Structures are given as structure tokens and as C-alpha cells.
Amino acid sequence: MNSPCNRTSILDGKHLAKQIRTQLKNRIKQGVAEGLPTPGLATVLVGEDPASSVYIRNKIRSCKEVGVESFHEPLEESAGQEMLLETIKRLNQDPKVHGILVQLPLPRAGYSEVEVLESILPQKDVDGFHPLNQGALFQGEPRFVPCTPKGILRLIEETQVDIAGKKAVILGRSNIVGKPVAQLLLGRNATVVMCHSRTQRLEEEVRSADIVVAAVGVPELVRGSWISEGAIVIDVGINRQDDGTLVGDVAYEGAASKASWITPVPGGVGPMTIAMLLENTVEAAWGVS
Ligand code: NAD
């Protein structure tokens, strides 16, 4: 982790994710040599949404890099819910497939996301979106933790700051980011405040935070002046601007002048998500180490 100025350090997710992939690659090589099964990840993509296609391509490429076998199941948008459920049923039964990932969002018409997520065997649910896995996290006994929140916790841990007793303010209450991050930080004994689109005095809440996690999808909503001196700032947002560049949910320059640690966009939380997916797949194949 490197330092852009005297006080602020960048939480370099790209670098950390690469380290994790290298460790996984070595672990998989050794495990397979000792007779463990090659971890297998099935990816299911319905339709041809360009962003989803890029995400899936990156996931398949990362599998190859570390030695996870990947099984890709592309379905036409017109395939329909029954065909999708049949595909998942087949993957549930396939012993070479240890993890199943259905790329979200599904096309709007004709699909039930809830039914699809519930049809994945919980022990193959490497995205951690099955209600049983969400419930386990809620009970403080996490099994498969959703990849982006897991990566966020890993980045915070990288600072070596003791999370216990710190005030964490989370912006965004989605099932895939905000809520699981809150559970993970509660599990580390942080005092957690959840903010959302109806929160009043958002600025005041952020000002009181030792740890800020912004996952709203609003470009640079969090201003630098809102950040308290020495806070840890995790920017989950990925917002494409008209000129094609990406910005986060936090105004980076201003926030970096106040924070002790901050994630850049891109290169912060994003790369950690796939690394955690690979880690979850190895855990699905071999159990938690
Ligand atoms: P979402 O749209 O499901 O949820 C957004 C949340 O933000 C909601 O809870 C909403 O109440 C809250 N919100 C919206 N406007 C707000 C405002 N003005 N003030 C306070 N809260 C507000 O989003 P999501 O799926 O959780 O994603 C959030 C962002 O994180 C997006 O930019 C997304 O692209 C990004 N993301 C990144 C990764 C990654 O791997 N880096 C993964 C998932 C999501």
C-alpha cells in the first residue's frame, strides 16, 4: 500500500487482488497435486448486456489465471425462466462444478431473480446471495459472504486499524453491498450507521465517521469537506462520466486530503470482487481453510 502524500495512504485493491490471486494459484496447484479436485466455477449469462458480458469475460479470464476450471453457460434472452432453472439444476448436480454464479441483473421481462437465486444450492452459492447464506451472515455465522463486501472488509483490514468500537457510516442499503457490509462490520464490533436515499443530514453522519463506505452510485456525492481527519474511506461506486472516465461516489482529491486511507476508483474495491469470487470457489470445492 503506497502513500500519495505524507498523511494519506492509498488502499490499492489492484495490488492486493493480484497478491490474493497469486496465493490462490499456488494453493490450487498444491491442492490438486495432493489429489484435491480442481475447483470449478460455472457462470451463467442470460442475454447480451455489454457490461455483464465484460464482467463474465473478466471472471472467466481470472479463473484461467489461477487454475479454477470455468464452465460458461450463455443463454439467449428469450430462453425464459424455466430453461434458466433447468440449467441451474444441471449445474447443481454436476460434481465438477463447485460454484455457480448467475450474472445479475437478469433481463427484466420473464425472469424472477429471487426464484433463480433460491434455486442455486447454498453450498455452491459463491456469490452469497442465497437467503440461507444471507441469513447465516445476519446471524453472525457467515458461510459464503458476497464478494464485494468481503473485498471491502479485506481492504479495511489491510489498514491494520482496529475496527472494534469505530463508527462506520455506510451509504447505500442494497442487498449486494450496503447490508452485507453492515453485517460484516457489526461482526467486527464497529458501531454501524446505515444511510440511504431518505437519510436526513447525510453530511453530518459522514462527518462523524471513522470509516466511510460509499455504495450509492451517485458520482462524487460525498464531498471532501465531509470527511473527518484520519477517516478510512472506501469508495464502492463506479460511475461512468460523459467523457468515458470513471469516478466513484466520493470526490477523491478533497477526501484524500483528509482521510488516513482511501480507495481509488478504478483500482480499489473493483478488483477485489473477482479475487473474492475465486476465493469463495476454492472454499466451495475444498471447504474453508
Ligand atoms: P443500488 O442502486 O442497489 O443501491 C444504491 C443505494 O444507494 C440505495 O440503498 C439508495 O437508497 C442509496 N442512495 C441513492 N442515492 C442516495 C443519496 N443521494 N444519498 C444517500 N443514499 C443514496 O446500488 P448497489 O448495487 O449497491 O451499487 C452501488 C454502487 O456501487 C454503484 O455505483 C455500483 O456500480 C457500485 N458497485 C461496485 C461494485 C464493485 O465491485 N466495485 C460492486 C457492486 C456495486
Side-chain angles (χ1 to χ4, degrees):
M1 300 295 127
N2 49 354
S3 195
C5 69
N6 289 339
R7 295 178 304 121
T8 312
S9 297
I10 293 180
L11 277 169
D12 185 345
K14 200 172 165 189
H15 180 73
L16 182 57
K18 190 163 191 285
Q19 275 182 352
I20 293 169
R21 290 199 305 274
T22 304
Q23 286 161 4
L24 283 174
K25 186 176 175 175
N26 293 335
R27 207 170 130 202
I28 292 170
K29 201 172 164 193
Q30 190 182 343
V32 170
E34 289 169 359
L36 290 171
T38 303
L41 175 68
T43 48
V44 183
L45 176 63
V46 184
E48 289 170 359
D49 175 70
S52 292
S53 302
V54 171
Y55 290 139
I56 287 286
R57 264 204 304 279
N58 288 342
K59 286 166 187 171
I60 293 173
R61 197 182 51 219
S62 299
C63 282
K64 206 167 173 184
E65 181 193 337
V66 303
V68 167
E69 193 170 0
S70 72
F71 305 88
H72 185 48
E73 298 277 350
L75 290 176
E76 304 264 330
E77 186 167 340
S78 59
Q81 179 85 349
E82 283 314 308
M83 172 95 80
L84 176 55
L85 292 176
E86 273 305 312
T87 304
I88 294 169
K89 195 172 167 193
R90 179 164 46 76
L91 296 170
N92 279 340
Q93 289 165 353
D94 187 338
K96 291 174 86 175
V97 171
H98 303 98
I100 301 171
L101 177 148
V102 177
Q103 185 65 43
L104 301 177
L106 291 169
R108 288 229 180 98
Y111 292 92
S112 156
E113 209 163 278
V114 172
E115 191 184 13
V116 166
L117 295 178
E118 285 182 4
S119 74
I120 298 171
L121 275 181
Q123 59 269 35
K124 295 195 177 190
D125 171 39
V126 285
D127 249 345
F129 295 155
H130 189 285
L132 271 181
N133 284 320
Q134 290 189 329
L137 177 61
F138 191 83
Q139 287 180 325
E141 298 286 341
R143 288 153 61 184
F144 288 116
V145 174
C147 303
T148 301
K150 191 176 181 185
I152 290 168
L153 185 65
R154 200 62 73 79
L155 282 164
I156 296 172
E157 285 173 344
E158 198 64 14
T159 66
Q160 300 194 2
V161 168
D162 186 9
I163 297 171
K166 296 286 185 304
K167 181 164 178 188
V169 172
I170 299 165
L171 283 68
R173 58 175 162 184
S174 71
N175 289 334
I176 62 167
V177 187
K179 285 183 196 161
V181 167
Q183 289 305 323
L184 289 172
L185 289 171
L186 266 181
R188 298 304 167 104
N189 298 314
T191 300
V192 175
V193 174
M194 295 213 63
C195 301
H196 46 78
S197 53
R198 308 289 285 273
T199 296
Q200 294 176 358
R201 297 179 289 280
L202 186 65
E203 175 178 344
E204 217 173 277
E205 297 292 354
V206 175
R207 276 186 198 280
S208 70
D210 303 304
I211 300 170
V212 180
V213 179
V216 289
V218 179
E220 302 186 332
L221 171 73
V222 178
R223 309 309 303 168
S225 59
W226 299 9
I227 303 296
S228 72
E229 285 290 335
I232 296 171
V233 178
I234 308 290
D235 191 352
V236 192
I238 305 175
N239 309 291
R240 194 166 291 281
Q241 303 194 104
D242 291 342
D243 64 2
T245 55
L246 294 179
V247 290
D249 291 344
V250 177
Y252 183 83
E253 294 301 333
S257 70
K258 307 279 287 295
S260 58
W261 296 88
I262 188 165
T263 58
V265 176
V269 174
M272 292 297 290
T273 298
I274 295 186
M276 295 300 103
L277 173 68
L278 298 170
E279 194 174 275
N280 281 354
T281 304
V282 175
E283 285 175 9
W286 299 349
V288 182
S289 63

